[in-house]
Amino acid sequence: LLHRSTKFRKRNLRSCIKEIPGRIEFVTEQEGKTAKDVRKKMEEIVVNRGEGLVLKHPDAEYVLNGRNKDWIKVVSCI
């Protein structure tokens, strides 16, 4: 799965694992295309006292023991 896209890996994971509320749950995700989309979501996170966002390119490959330019973590400062 290392060379498969983020979108493929998420779809594959959801087909293999059944959610159990309070034990195993998938994170809420939203697709955005513009900086305005990111800003709007970040404003919601700050209002709800959330930790932040992780932005990932849907076609990104997984990097074992590392990071690449296809994802970034945006932390809210409260």
Side-chain angles (χ1 to χ4, degrees):
L1 296 174
L2 292 176
H3 301 292
R4 303 304 290 259
S5 69
T6 301
K7 190 179 282 189
F8 176 88
R9 292 191 316 273
K10 284 183 180 182
R11 188 173 45 238
N12 190 47
L13 181 66
R14 287 181 184 273
S15 71
C16 296
I17 295 177
K18 180 181 175 185
E19 287 188 275
I20 301 170
R23 298 195 73 195
I24 298 173
E25 297 177 304
F26 294 110
V27 298
T28 302
E29 59 183 274
Q30 182 175 347
E31 190 171 320
K33 297 186 185 293
T34 66
K36 187 176 179 179
D37 295 336
V38 175
R39 184 181 195 92
K40 181 180 176 186
K41 190 64 182 173
M42 196 64 196
E43 288 171 355
E44 290 174 24
I45 289 168
V46 169
V47 167
N48 294 316
R49 297 184 171 263
E51 292 181 28
L53 288 173
V54 175
L55 308 172
K56 295 183 180 181
H57 193 284
D59 296 327
E61 292 183 1
Y62 183 77
V63 177
L64 190 60
N65 295 323
R67 295 183 181 183
N68 63 23
K69 61 181 174 47
D70 291 326
W71 73 271
I72 185 171
K73 185 174 184 178
V74 182
V75 180
S76 64
C77 298
I78 299 176

